[in-house]
Amino acid sequence: MTDRRAELLDGATAWVLEHGLATLSLRPVAKALGTSDRMLLYWFGSRDGLLAAIAEHAGEGLSLALPVVDPTAPPPTARAWLDQCWALFSDPLVRPGLALLFELDALGARAPGPARDAARRTADRWVEVVDGALAVVGVPETGRLPLSRVVAAAMVGLILDDLVGDPGPRPDAELELLSRLVDDAATRT
């Protein structure tokens, strides 16, 4: 990727994080970036090409932000890891990226394309991160992937609930329930 394309992609992604995907149009993005819509077409081919690049770029950023567990320094409990996740998801700097992820999910649910692809990759990466964390806290491989999907889906639901409402207190009861589910699975060998 050329420096200019990367610069425009960073700027367009920042614009979408602030304004959302619903209003994505080449002219306002170009104006905000100090370029023309024709230059965006040159670098990205079309509005859909720009959307695909933004979706991929934002999805990569969210995936890299996920709290991966270091096997050499694992959290003392599943709850400690879930608390780390919630701290990340509650960070005001991360919340626009999470909102974008849900916009991608909604767009992707309607039709195949770049939004669905980016949403699927990010969801798969999240399940991988959860699966790795559950392995480190002692959940045996047999049956771990379905539990990883359940934990990942529950966290996504808690995040969505927090995003669409007023940010409230930490969902301690829900996190405790998830941690007990993980701890129970870890003790069943």
Side-chain angles (χ1 to χ4, degrees):
M1 181 180 329
T2 67
D3 290 344
R4 181 61 179 150
R5 186 177 191 281
E7 180 185 320
L8 290 170
L9 180 56
D10 285 343
T13 302
W15 188 93
V16 166
L17 287 171
E18 181 179 344
H19 300 282
L21 285 173
T23 59
L24 180 62
S25 177
L26 294 178
R27 284 192 179 116
V29 173
K31 183 178 179 184
L33 300 178
T35 191
S36 69
D37 54 335
R38 288 184 178 266
M39 287 310 295
L40 291 177
L41 289 172
Y42 171 79
W43 288 107
F44 299 100
S46 66
R47 179 191 175 278
D48 283 346
L50 177 61
L51 173 63
I54 290 169
E56 184 65 30
H57 190 56
E60 285 175 21
L62 283 171
S63 292
L64 292 173
L66 295 173
V68 177
V69 174
D70 178 358
T72 63
T77 62
R79 176 60 192 263
W81 180 74
L82 289 167
D83 287 342
Q84 287 176 334
C85 291
W86 193 256
L88 172 71
F89 300 146
S90 300
D91 184 331
L93 296 175
V94 173
R95 291 176 72 82
L98 295 170
L100 176 58
L101 178 60
F102 287 116
E103 283 188 87
L104 291 170
D105 287 341
L107 285 173
R110 292 194 177 276
R116 179 181 287 176
D117 296 343
R120 181 76 264 150
R121 279 190 298 278
T122 303
D124 289 345
R125 177 68 181 125
W126 175 227
V127 171
E128 287 174 18
V129 168
V130 171
D131 195 62
L134 298 189
V136 171
V137 297
V139 176
E141 187 172 354
T142 305
R144 188 175 64 231
L145 185 57
L147 178 59
S148 297
R149 288 187 177 123
V150 166
V151 171
M155 291 296 287
V156 166
L158 291 171
I159 294 162
L160 181 58
D161 186 54
D162 195 57
L163 282 172
V164 298
D166 292 328
R170 286 167 32 106
D172 284 321
E174 294 86 346
L175 293 174
E176 184 58 33
L177 183 61
L178 280 175
S179 70
R180 282 199 311 254
L181 186 64
V182 171
D183 290 340
D184 287 350
T187 58
R188 280 189 250 134
T189 54

